[in-house]
Amino acid sequence: MGEHKSIEHIACNVDMWLEVESHKFDRPMSVIIYRCLIIPNYLDGETDVTVVEENVEILKKTFKVYEARLSKFKYLAGDFICLADLSHFTTAYYLMETPHASLLDEYPHVKAWITDILARPSTKKVAEMMKATA
């Protein structure tokens, strides 16, 4: 096969990273976003720090895997941006609005990847729409 990858191989790689996102990124991020942004800002409640920290630890494990991958490739599925990367946009955007944004400092490749995704013209446009509906 050499350096040429088949479309099936690429699709399988994209699907794998979408699964990782669904189970290992979105789940802890949903808790962090809900506990750090939704409850205190919209429900006048207090953040359960213990629950947030448990999910931050889960997210750190995911970021270690992402860091290893992104040290070899610019994007998750390879050196091309794809749905596997863009699907992280909304939760990554909200992570930057939490007190845990500095977590990315521990993972320079992950931070560069997220910064790249958030800087894309299309995601900037979506971010503006997200602000308008918040």
Side-chain angles (χ1 to χ4, degrees):
M1 193 183 256
E3 291 193 27
H4 178 69
K5 304 276 184 181
S6 71
I7 193 74
E8 293 85 10
H9 176 80
I10 292 169
C12 181
N13 207 7
V14 170
D15 287 346
M16 178 191 69
W17 287 106
L18 286 169
E19 278 295 308
V20 171
E21 178 213 8
S22 175
H23 298 287
K24 304 295 184 183
F25 182 81
D26 277 353
R27 287 182 182 178
M29 278 302 307
S30 294
V31 173
I32 293 166
I33 291 165
Y34 183 72
R35 300 284 178 164
C36 291
L37 296 177
I38 306 299
I39 289 177
N41 294 317
Y42 298 103
L43 302 176
D44 293 326
E46 292 185 23
T47 300
D48 185 332
V49 177
T50 303
V51 172
V52 170
E53 288 304 319
E54 289 169 358
N55 283 276
V56 165
E57 291 305 312
I58 294 168
L59 191 59
K60 284 181 179 181
K61 291 176 186 175
T62 302
F63 280 170
K64 284 180 186 175
V65 172
Y66 282 26
E67 184 70 14
R69 178 65 178 182
L70 295 166
S71 71
K72 297 175 185 165
F73 300 96
K74 185 170 181 175
Y75 300 103
L76 290 174
D79 288 324
F80 55 92
I81 194 160
C82 67
L83 180 60
D85 304 291
L86 294 173
S87 65
H88 287 77
F89 162 68
T90 54
T91 47
Y93 172 82
Y94 286 123
L95 172 65
M96 304 311 284
E97 300 297 318
T98 74
H100 301 286
S102 63
L103 173 66
L104 292 174
D105 295 338
E106 298 175 39
Y107 308 96
H109 292 96
V110 175
K111 185 175 184 174
W113 169 70
I114 288 176
T115 300
D116 179 70
I117 291 169
L118 294 176
R120 298 181 68 78
S122 58
T123 57
K124 284 182 177 180
K125 189 172 186 174
V126 172
E128 286 302 315
M129 289 187 285
M130 291 167 64
K131 287 178 188 175
T133 61

